[in-house]
Amino acid sequence: MNTIQTACFIAYKSIVRGRKGTLALMLIILSLSFFNMMFIPGVFSGLLDTITGLLTNTSTSDIVVTPQQSPVPKEFIENEAQLQAQIRTIPGVLGTTRIYLTAGSIAYDKNKDGVYKTVSAQIIGIDPTQVDDALSLKQYLVAGQFLDDSDTDQVLLPAALAGGYGLPVPSDLGGAKVGDKVNMVYGNGVERQYTVKGIISITFGTALSNTYVTSHEAESVLSASDQASEILVKVDSSTHPLSYYKARIQSLAPNLKVQMYTELLAVIQSVLDAFTLIAAIVSAISVLVATVTLFVMIYINAVAKRRQIGILKAIGIKENIIVYSYVLQALFYVLCGVALGLMIVFLIVEPLLHAYPIELPFGPLLLTFSFNLAAESVAAFFIAGFFAGIIPARIVAREDILKAIWG
Amino acid sequence: MDKTAPIIGVVDLAKTYPGDIPTLALRGVTFEVARGEFVAIMGRSGSGKSTLLHQLNLIDTPTSGTVHIDGLDTATLSDSHKTLFRLDHLGFIFQEYALIVELNALENVFLPAMALGTDSAQYKKRAAELLNIVGLGERLEHYPNELSGGEQQRVAIARALINSPKIVFADEPTANLDTASAKIVLDLFTKLKTEFGQTIIMVTHEPDDKQYVDRVIRLSDGLIEGIETGGN
């Protein structure tokens, strides 16, 4: 007990009476290292959340049910209304919707002179009222109005294909606007003319070419009824993990393919893995910088007090007391560095990015921090601090008393 | 414990420092120190007086021979026990700058008592009393850089006494002091001996210091050249 008490006392006095400039420099380096350790993974995590959010809001929701793959692949899910009703009875399921997927092309005569520009598109049939239960398409509407359930000759064009929105696609229609007529040719050869009811701007991945009609219209084109290409399911993932819902849905429809969005977004997952690796490297470098800084500072401090350490040992102060006093100093510096780093992250940078987000093509970049990341960063810093304190202190404190005092 | 027995018994003590040419710093020294005695170890530079002191106060380990302190053969102590023994039973006064710069006078004095586990109220009171005895009762809160050399040495004396040591070892305590400050320190040693019965072993090269001590052990080339009666 008196060992810890004496070590704390020596450490406290060393900090209070130590050089303030050195202390400030050390705290700046430690806090910036800690900030770096939190910020980079936070950026990557925020980036991934933005992309994932965009895709789950516009394409996949949380769980995707697709038609039978084997033994005989089928184009559509049958009796989709009954299946949706069954899925909605699962506790934690927030909503469902069905969609029809087909490919096609869109042609537009901008100048009404018989010269058409044609682009390929992914055509999606939606139930405009029910789609809100699983997707959030309406928030991406940038012009005109959303579809109504009764619409048959109306279409929502993607901004990227409509043209004039400065989005990165190889070709577009040259500036189709709300109210304009476009001709669409479906993959099965059916040709229809539609009025552009709205422009929807989803600016990432395959969703760039998503063109929406109503399910009724899609059914009439595809000669389908009570069927679906996909059923999208929104769930409360805070009560159960996604895998739980997947298993429950699969038990309702054993022949259908049920996938979580994380399985569908394998590319995103590989990006996540790469980001995680980069973040881990950055974090390791941050910890290394902090460790080396602390080590050097503690070592220089201990070497400068070599004679004093010798005198302490000579008068009977145990080596452990001296070593612990340096470890406690190092841990105090880490504590202050971490506290300052957390303040920089949560009181300065995060509110600043919230108020003035960095706009990316697919949405605003926000910082995302998890408790685990913060806890791991803090733990890593304290472990680094412990070793950066104990090693140099031991090196100096183990020196022979006579050598330490008289050189 | 026999109070009439010598507090220090040294028998055939030798110390050789290894090297290409080994240095025979002590070559078989034998003497005793009585309880409450004030002894000076004197000799020319390189005579082995500091080496002898370091063997007596357990900072160094002799090559051969024995040192008994209050009947205990110090060779039987492990390093950690030697550390604790120094803290509990021995007091140290160094030549110069031996205070901890981050601690004020009071804190410097009570640090060894704190490390020993003494009650905090008790060690603070005793530290203040000791500083009062050495004439620094008004300078408890002063840091070493705010004290003169003589005052720092008096703080070191108070520190050496905080755990009521059996023996106080002083290594040329007046070497860096002016004459007036040196006299204050030596008068203080005399006071400790006469009023408190404190055993003191002091290494000094000042011939005039002889008048303050009971006996002088004079060393030359690692051997006792002679033992003289002091002027006290």
Side-chain angles (χ1 to χ4, degrees), chain A residues 86-168:
Chain A
Q86 288 176 325
I87 292 171
R88 282 195 213 103
T89 63
I90 298 171
V93 168
L94 301 174
T96 63
T97 194
R98 63 157 177 179
I99 59 171
Y100 283 100
L101 293 173
T102 185
S105 62
I106 308 170
Y108 172 57
D109 178 7
K110 185 181 181 181
N111 300 319
K112 311 288 186 284
D113 57 2
V115 178
Y116 284 84
K117 288 188 81 172
T118 305
V119 295
S120 296
Q122 168 87 21
I123 301 165
I124 302 173
I126 56 171
D127 293 322
T129 305
Q130 202 185 332
V131 76
D132 286 346
D133 292 348
L135 300 175
S136 305
L137 292 175
K138 284 176 187 167
Q139 72 183 67
Y140 298 94
L141 192 73
V142 292
Q145 291 180 311
F146 203 71
L147 294 171
D148 291 316
D149 286 341
S150 57
D151 287 338
T152 53
D153 58 350
Q154 310 274 328
V155 68
L156 293 181
L157 278 187
L161 295 190
Y165 287 88
L167 294 170

Side-chain angles (χ1 to χ4, degrees), chain A residues 2-3 5-6 9-10 13-14 17-18 301 305 307-308 311-319 321 400-402 405-406, chain B residues 54 59-60 83 86-87 92 94 96-103 107 110-112 114-117 123 143 145 159 171:
Chain A
N2 50 310
T3 299
Q5 187 194 4
T6 311
F9 178 68
I10 295 172
K13 293 298 293 189
S14 293
R17 298 283 301 174
N301 190 16
K305 291 181 179 170
R307 185 166 189 274
Q308 186 165 299
I311 288 164
L312 283 171
K313 285 172 70 180
I315 65 174
I317 305 297
K318 284 188 288 185
E319 191 179 303
I321 292 178
D400 180 74
I401 295 174
L402 293 175
I405 298 177
W406 288 282
Chain B
H54 299 151
I59 284 178
D60 202 0
T83 303
R86 285 199 300 271
L87 182 67
F92 294 81
F94 299 92
E96 59 174 1
Y97 312 126
L99 299 182
I100 308 306
V101 293
E102 292 96 355
L103 307 184
E107 292 161 345
F110 72 57
L111 184 68
M114 177 191 265
L116 193 61
Y123 65 62
Y143 285 87
N145 61 353
R159 181 178 67 186
D171 189 2

Side-chain angles (χ1 to χ4, degrees), chain A residues 240-255:
Chain A
H240 298 292
L242 287 178
S243 54
Y244 162 81
Y245 296 105
K246 178 186 174 181
R248 290 291 305 268
I249 295 166
Q250 190 72 75
S251 69
L252 291 173
N255 296 331

